[in-house]
């Protein structure tokens, strides 16, 4: 009986692992259509965060800069948030009190509702970039020279 139960648990675990792998593969395919960076170039982003990139791709299509050279602009956004948080909505920097995908400083600046919500964090970050730098390429240029944005 115990061996049968262990076999069933292993089968469930294997099916879940296959489903997770399929989901990550689908996310990789979807995000590859949004930007010209190979996911292997994402040095700080784990495959579990690819869904956040895919979500940002959809949300960013409504930004004013999206109408001009979306691929380059979105690639810049991907690079910034890869460096800042690895696209992890739970990322937190104790030294600066920055947090979330866009590394809002302080993290509370995004509001309580955004604390664990990737979509709200992405929307906040897109607005921050638009208000401060006009577009992701401007934000990336600043990041490249100052190592923050």
């Amino acid at each position: 009986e115990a061996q049968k139960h262990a076999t069933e648990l292993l089968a469930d675990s294997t099916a879940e692992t296959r489903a997770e792998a399929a989901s990550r593969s689908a996310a990789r395919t979807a995000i590859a259509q949004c930007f010209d960076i190979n996911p292997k170039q994402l040095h700080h982003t784990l495959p579990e965060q690819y869904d956040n990139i895919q979500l940002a791709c959809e949300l960013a299509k409504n930004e004013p800069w999206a109408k001009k050279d979306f691929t380059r602009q979105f690639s810049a956004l991907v690079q910034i948030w890869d460096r800042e948080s690895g696209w992890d909505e739970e990322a937190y920097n104790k030294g600066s009190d920055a947090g979330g995908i866009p590394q809002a400083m302080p993290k509370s600046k995004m509001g309580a509702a955004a604390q664990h919500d990737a979509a709200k964090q992405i929307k906040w970050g897109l607005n921050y970039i638009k208000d401060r730098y006009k577009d992701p390429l401007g934000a990336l240029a600043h990041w490249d020279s100052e190592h923050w944005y």
Side-chain angles (χ1 to χ4, degrees):
E1 185 66 32
Q3 185 176 8
K4 181 181 173 189
H5 182 66
T7 303
E8 289 171 354
L9 286 175
L10 181 60
D12 288 347
S13 173
T14 302
E16 184 176 314
T17 303
R18 279 192 212 120
E20 289 172 354
S23 175
R24 282 194 297 275
S25 177
R28 263 194 309 277
T29 300
I31 63 176
Q33 297 170 7
C34 290
F35 64 97
D36 57 7
I37 296 174
N38 182 325
K40 291 178 182 174
Q41 292 175 287
L42 299 175
H43 302 291
H44 307 286
T45 304
L46 299 174
E48 295 82 33
Q49 307 308 329
Y50 289 173
D51 288 343
N52 290 340
I53 300 174
Q54 185 178 2
L55 175 61
C57 179
E58 292 306 312
L59 294 171
K61 289 177 181 175
N62 298 319
E63 293 298 308
W65 50 261
K67 289 155 188 62
K68 348 167 228 168
D69 201 2
F70 181 83
T71 302
R72 281 186 63 227
Q73 293 284 357
F74 193 75
S75 294
L77 180 71
V78 169
Q79 290 176 66
I80 294 167
W81 289 350
D82 174 59
R83 297 170 185 176
E84 288 289 324
S85 66
W87 286 86
D88 183 356
E89 68 270 17
E90 302 297 329
Y92 180 69
N93 181 330
K94 289 179 187 176
S96 66
D97 194 32
I101 293 168
Q103 287 293 283
M105 192 169 70
K107 185 177 182 180
S108 61
K109 187 184 274 189
M110 293 184 290
Q115 295 305 302
H116 306 286
D117 186 321
K120 287 184 169 81
Q121 292 179 16
I122 290 166
K123 288 175 187 174
W124 185 93
L126 291 171
N127 283 327
Y128 171 79
I129 287 172
K130 179 174 51 181
D131 292 346
R132 185 161 180 140
Y133 302 101
K134 184 178 171 195
D135 59 35
L137 285 170
L140 181 60
H142 186 272
W143 202 103
D144 285 343
S145 74
E146 303 296 327
H147 300 282
W148 63 271
Y149 81 113

